[in-house]
Amino acid sequence: MKNILLSIQNLQTHFFLDEGVVRAVNGVNLEIPLGETMSIVGESGCGKSVTAFSILQLIASPGRIVSGEIVFHRPNSDNVVLTNHKERDKRIRAIRGSEIAMIFQEPMSSLSPVHTVGNQIMESLILHTNLGKTEARLQVIDMMQRVGIPNPVQRFNQYPHQMSGGLRQRAIIAMALICRPKLLIADEPTTALDVTIQAQILQLMRDLQTEFEMSILLITHDLGVVAEMANQVAVMYMGKIVEQAEINELLTNPQHPYTQALLESVPRRGQQPKAKLKVISGSVPNPFEQITGCPFHPRCEEFSDGLCNQGDPPVPFQFRDNQHVACFIREKDKTQ
Amino acid sequence: MFSLIVKRILWMIPTLLIISIISFIIIQLPPGDYLTAYISALGETGETVDAELVEALRNRYNLDEPIYIQYIRWMKGLIKGDLGMSFEWNKPVKELIFQRLLLTVTISIATLFFVYATAIPIGIYSAVNQYSWGDYTFTFLGFIGLAIPNFLFALILMYLADIVFGLSVGGLFSPSYQNEPWSLGKFLDLLGHLWIPVIVLGTAGTASLIRVMRGNLLDELRKLYVIAARAKGVPNVNLLLKYPVRVALNPVISNIGWVLPSIVSGSVITSIVLGIPTTGPLLLRALMNQDMYLAGSMIMMLSVLTVIGTLISDLLLIWLDPRIRYETREK
């Protein structure tokens, strides 16, 4: 049994809009092991970012965590049930940025345009420790050096618009890691970067992960990034995890029809040059809709009438040692 | 930074020169001159004017000369600090407008402070509590403030101040202080009278600035860097003031440039209704009588105020927003 750092049980985060209720996260169960990288993949709007925001209690009105429990198993300290604390609670604020940190998708907009980069990196350090300004500044410069920002002393006083996208993303990583968090939530950390910078940033995150012994929750829609980074992968579709497996298992032997379709829609080496990529038929359903049976059945190639469109959605079952699938068909095949 | 300020100040010179030419032309545009207006005014009361006297006056004031010579003559005087004579009052313009200009500046600055001191906090409140009862109330009051004409608002406030609070209203001083020299008592008396024109002149500006502040802040609040700061564990109020409010202030500050002239020009009717001796009523009269040196000098003074207001807002922006600072430096 591995040590678990964070466990999410039956998380439901809904958004109450005038047009109806969006069940962005609708019953997610997830365990993030200590020191490993767990990745959540899925299309836009499947609820992966909302899951991440729910962990830090950053869901703002009209959204609300309706039910479920998120427990932070702090190594060498007591457990904290994050869901017991409101968005503005002191307790949760003390954890944000110090023990659980987050980096965001767009390096341009996640830094304030009117404050220096150094000031913004230093902020968490000043908030969460008793360090004085001079000492904090030295630590920030050290961290900037470590994330690969050249001339950190000069860069400390620069503004975000004076930096390139790659440098800004490095500054954001420095901002997240400055307090040495146990868990780093990375929401599409490389999406806005070009491919060469992407590879550097991923390498950097891996290096720092080993150095700081932290867990990473990696949110992405890029299966290439997942293959490079993750130990465990959870595939989300319409607010639910449809398949969760160890990375190699998932890439070589996907079970859920949605996972299979996702993997086939990515170009591979050795493919015929003009071969058409697979397209998942149909589109993501209207978010207000509640689909009976399996939420994927209207788009599923293996759809079987009477089995997939009946009753409650499927619950993940253990398909193999390290692979859980939520699919009626697989479950039926397995039990027979 | 320093060279930038110097450059901006030097740029004010051509700006003011162009303003002076345009305003001089406009003042001269109506047919006739001060004397024709004077003669027709006398004619209406049944008096006749001696043609020789008119001719003598016309020569004395050089009214027959071409417009550009008159302009050059006026500019030469201005540079030396001589604003010319007012035909109507038969006094030097400087003497006539100095007191009034001082009052106009006082009222304008007081109004500006009032506008910013109320609009910014209310705008922040409305944005943070969007669609709350408070937000709706301020929105409603703001629209009323925008919709009521200033003169009507002035009358209502005067009525209330007089009937409900029993204050002496109208003018800027109580009768007992009217001709006294300056003293603490007189200053307090001024403050007691100042609030009515300040509220009247400031309400429309406040209402529109609340909307600007609210809209900007709402945009900023949704930005990722605000969420990123929250994810760092920054307490709410600190976060609000340090990040989104500071960014949202930018367009509000650049409004100083146009709030100041609108207060100055908007004060004409209000000043007449309230009986305040600002430049407004005098300017109106001077324009109607084609009292050209008086009108021209006042327009110049108000233009200088406006240009200075714009300069102040530019400097504030440079101080507030590093992006502007570096852009100007690179140029």
Side-chain angles (χ1 to χ4, degrees), chain B residues 78-98:
Chain B
L78 268 189
I79 291 164
K80 282 184 243 155
D82 173 16
L83 302 181
M85 292 284 285
S86 160
F87 303 141
E88 198 193 357
W89 302 79
N90 209 7
K91 275 184 183 172
V93 168
K94 214 195 281 180
E95 227 173 82
L96 270 174
I97 65 173
F98 180 71

Side-chain angles (χ1 to χ4, degrees), chain A residues 183-239:
Chain A
L183 173 63
L184 176 69
I185 302 171
D187 186 8
E188 311 249 9
T190 56
T191 308
L193 303 173
D194 57 51
V195 187
T196 45
I197 310 289
Q198 237 180 54
Q200 293 172 11
I201 296 285
L202 292 178
Q203 182 63 46
L204 173 71
M205 283 174 61
R206 267 200 308 260
D207 292 349
L208 293 170
Q209 175 173 31
T210 358
E211 193 180 333
F212 295 167
E213 295 171 334
M214 66 182 173
S215 306
I216 295 180
L217 177 63
L218 179 72
I219 315 274
T220 183
H221 62 260
D222 186 336
L223 289 165
V225 173
V226 172
E228 216 162 314
M229 292 285 293
N231 303 101
Q232 289 274 324
V233 187
V235 181
M236 268 185 94
Y237 185 77
M238 285 194 79

Side-chain angles (χ1 to χ4, degrees), chain B residues 52-291:
Chain B
E52 257 175 53
L53 179 70
V54 170
E55 205 47 45
L57 280 172
R58 186 157 283 165
N59 280 334
R60 188 173 147 205
Y61 293 127
N62 305 309
L63 289 176
D64 278 338
E65 284 172 353
I67 182 168
Y68 64 91
I69 305 242
Q70 292 192 36
Y71 172 76
I72 291 168
R73 191 187 301 281
W74 179 53
M75 277 319 281
K76 272 187 185 159
L78 268 189
I79 291 164
K80 282 184 243 155
D82 173 16
L83 302 181
M85 292 284 285
S86 160
F87 303 141
E88 198 193 357
W89 302 79
N90 209 7
K91 275 184 183 172
V93 168
K94 214 195 281 180
E95 227 173 82
L96 270 174
I97 65 173
F98 180 71
Q99 272 283 324
R100 286 167 181 264
L101 211 55
L102 212 65
L103 274 179
T104 305
V105 171
T106 311
I107 290 182
S108 301
I109 290 175
T111 309
L112 208 58
F113 273 105
F114 167 75
V115 167
Y116 281 82
T118 45
I120 292 174
I122 292 176
I124 294 174
Y125 172 86
S126 280
V128 174
N129 303 295
Q130 192 190 10
Y131 302 141
S132 66
W133 275 106
D135 179 29
Y136 282 130
T137 311
F138 284 124
T139 303
F140 178 70
L141 289 178
F143 283 140
I144 288 184
L146 269 178
I148 294 183
N150 276 353
F151 74 90
L152 186 67
F153 194 35
L155 288 174
I156 294 171
L157 272 187
M158 278 165 79
Y159 175 82
L160 287 179
D162 189 30
I163 303 295
V164 182
F165 301 107
L167 297 168
S168 110
V169 287
L172 276 181
F173 302 103
S174 307
S176 53
Y177 281 110
Q178 195 71 56
N179 296 313
E180 293 283 302
W182 280 100
S183 63
L184 184 64
K186 184 165 176 171
F187 179 68
L188 292 177
D189 186 57
L190 173 69
L191 289 185
H193 284 79
L194 203 56
W195 66 272
I196 293 184
V198 163
I199 291 178
V200 170
L201 292 173
T203 303
T206 308
S208 63
L209 266 188
I210 288 175
R211 305 307 298 168
V212 173
M213 186 70 205
R214 177 180 180 271
N216 285 331
L217 189 54
L218 279 176
D219 281 350
E220 292 303 323
L221 283 175
R222 298 195 188 102
K223 296 238 170 106
L224 205 50
Y225 70 88
V226 178
I227 300 169
R230 197 171 296 142
K232 280 195 278 183
V234 184
N236 264 296
V237 176
N238 299 16
L239 187 147
L240 186 69
L241 294 180
K242 180 174 175 186
Y243 293 104
V245 167
R246 174 143 174 215
V247 180
L249 269 181
N250 188 328
V252 175
I253 297 292
S254 56
N255 278 353
I256 292 182
W258 61 259
V259 169
L260 201 60
S262 79
I263 290 172
V264 171
S265 59
S267 68
V268 177
I269 296 173
T270 312
S271 297
I272 293 172
V273 172
L274 291 172
I276 303 168
T278 58
T279 46
L282 191 68
L283 176 61
L284 190 64
R285 251 191 98 125
L287 286 171
M288 285 189 339
N289 294 328
Q290 297 200 34
D291 192 348

